[in-house]
Amino acid sequence: MPVPTHRESPTGSRTSRAHPLGVTLRGDGADVAVLAAHADAVEVCVFDDAGRETRTRLPDVELGVWHGHVPGLVAGSRYGLRVHGRWDPERGLRHNPAKLLLDPYAQGVEGEVALTPEIFGHVVDEDLEGDLAVADPRDSAPHVPRGVVLAPLPADLRVGEDERPRTPWADTVVYEAHVRGLTRRFPGVPEAERGTYAALAHPAVLEHLTSLGVTALELLPVHANTSEIALRRRGLSNYWGYNTLAFNAPHPGYATAAARAAGAEAVRAEFRRAVAALHAAGIEVVLDVVYNHTCEEGPDGPHLSLRGLDDATYYLRDAGGRPLDVTGCGNSLDFTDRRVVRFALDSLRHWVTEYGVDGFRFDLMTTLARGHDGYSPDHPFLVALGADPVLAGTKLIAEPWDVGPFGWRTGQFPPPLHEWNDRFRDGARRFWLSDAREIASGRSAPVAPGRGLPELATRFAGSADTFDVQRGRLTSVNFVTAHDGFTLADLTAYDRKHNEANGEGNRDGSDSDTSWNHGVEGGTTDPGVLAARRRSVRNLFATLVLSTGVPMITAGDEFGRSQGGNNNAYCQDNEVGWIDWDLQDWQRELLDDVRELLALRRRYPVLREAGVRRGSPVREQRSDLLWFSEDGEPMSVERWHEADRRVLQLLVDGRDRGETSVLVVLNGGPRRLDVVLPAVEGLAAFSPRWASTPGRAAGSCAAGAALPVDPWSVRVLATD
């Protein structure tokens, strides 16, 4: 990018029009409004094709919002902001007009952040270390991105309400994926489209998702982002994208080369077409969004947007005025301020109305609900989210924790939010992996009160110990793995993380012990170990898909993808992070089994609707779940408290609804057993439908008859 020269233009013309934040095209230019509540002046800087800069000072300020009309700022214009005012970092005053800032409301972004001293607001040396007290006078414009003004969407790309799938929560299956990681190596996708938004719309990708039974594609962040300074100095990048630069613009790096060359409008169009294609295939689009922090890192981080506009307003501080980080990422946005709440809501509505997005998963959402006294379920942001006519009808999912004081809040978010259920994740893993590891080694499983079989049953039934039943039994978004942590195959192949490639001495990533390598760490050719691992993967998948709640699958788990034991691949934009679609025979067999499981969930309403007919009130107690031991008798209180009990039969009873009943038989022990099927009035026989081990029984089994059940296995039977 050439070093710009600049010239002054007349002060932006005064106007009495309403001034929505950002750029609004009008007449010979655009109305511009920018929140900079502590600034003395704000300039809009427009760059021509040669990089020459024209600065226009905004003439008016009301309630901290500077606004005015800027002639010549038209669709396709590249622009930035310069802010004048005091430099007093300890008080959150970081105004430095030498630094070109990205408009927080920019809808398009062009250019990248260079790793140079000029991108910092304070003086730093070549090692990027310096003194916050001294403002840096060097111009950052040649080294930072520009915003791009976009015209309204053309008619053929506008969002039609009738295009949205609007899948009920009961029928929803979430598939969490990364745009590049999902498609970078996808067979059948042209090389020029691999790893891009365009690939999401390719028939081969859509066919995989629909044949699997996916109804909602949850994309890791697609907001324009950049990589942390420390990562870039190690020669790595923030592959996952949880480091937002622009909250209203799609990340240009995920567009095809042709779209990037054509500009921000083409990037927008490519993402919009991908959403439309997914909708046409019946798949909703959910975005993983990061409003808890920004890419500007800690107080000594780069000076790119919010920090230079209004550090004191946007960033969270403690009672003493010191920067407060409850995200672990160097900074936190301050949701005690109504203007920050508005900023997030404006951005969310933009993605719904402009792109047709169907929902959001909120990263570290506890941060977004912190008031002056900590987390509150009545926080203004949560109230506004549930009341907003645009957002309330979308799918809203909370990651219900952050790293601040009392940050773990699973089960405590209000409707209409659904929540990632880490208790489901941990309970399923403990039963099938870490407790099983102890039993297989000859040691007693370390079963604490409420753990083991009682815990697994509680998770299967919808985690009533965690979620208020009045919120509905589908509040829980169940998962065994996510982008953060081991893949499902690696959970069964590694006892320890192997994150050396991340360059942090293997200190990063979770140290959780809820995995089991089945006797060998990592790769092996031992057929017994491999069979045991694949059986455990199937057991976990069955628990996920058959349990009450909304299942979420991590992309690639359906056929056993591995990251080589790396449980924090956030910086691995390579074969570690990308999904390998060259499947071996065992992977195809696993994929077929997962498809069968999801087909069972679709086929039998009792598995999806949690015992409640649509439109009927939620009952306090579930009478549709019946629990039996291996002798076919109902589970007694005494049996629930037997710490070494590892066999359970779960009857999801559809009799009072006139529907098929489903029986799930779990054997979490090391011995093959003859399990007596329950004799329940009106249910004469059960037909095998699925099993996690080979050699599935054929034909129906009479109620009261004995069914051989392999060790460490799950069987599914139905009454149709």
Side-chain angles (χ1 to χ4, degrees), residues 221 223-228 238 241-247 288-298 306-307 314-316 324-335 340 343 361-365 367-368 399 402-403:
H223 290 174
N225 59 76
T226 189
S227 295
E228 295 89 338
N238 190 319
Y242 290 87
N243 208 45
T244 308
L245 172 68
F247 292 84
D288 195 337
V289 289
V290 186
Y291 294 103
N292 57 78
H293 76 280
T294 78
C295 67
E296 292 185 306
E297 304 186 43
L306 303 183
R307 175 161 288 147
Y314 278 109
Y315 288 117
L316 185 64
L324 183 59
D325 176 16
V326 296
T327 67
C329 301
N331 65 64
S332 304
L333 287 178
D334 184 3
F335 277 79
V340 176
F343 172 57
R361 177 267 188 189
F362 294 90
D363 184 65
L364 300 182
M365 197 174 193
T367 299
L368 281 58
E399 182 185 41
D402 66 13
V403 301

Side-chain angles (χ1 to χ4, degrees), residues 120-205:
F120 293 82
H122 60 289
V123 173
V124 299
D125 57 23
E126 293 304 314
D127 293 325
L128 308 183
E129 297 179 356
D131 184 357
L132 281 178
V134 182
D136 182 71
R138 292 171 290 186
D139 186 10
S140 69
H143 312 287
V144 295
R146 315 280 192 257
V148 182
V149 179
L150 299 183
L153 275 172
D156 65 317
L157 289 179
R158 290 176 191 160
V159 180
E161 284 303 307
D162 57 347
E163 83 174 44
R164 297 178 184 273
R166 298 198 181 281
T167 307
W169 276 109
D171 300 335
T172 297
V173 176
V174 179
Y175 189 82
E176 188 201 41
H178 186 283
V179 172
R180 195 197 314 281
L182 177 66
T183 65
R184 183 63 184 84
R185 307 173 74 181
F186 206 104
V189 175
E191 182 62 34
E193 294 183 6
R194 291 187 176 190
T196 71
Y197 301 127
L200 299 177
H202 193 276
V205 175

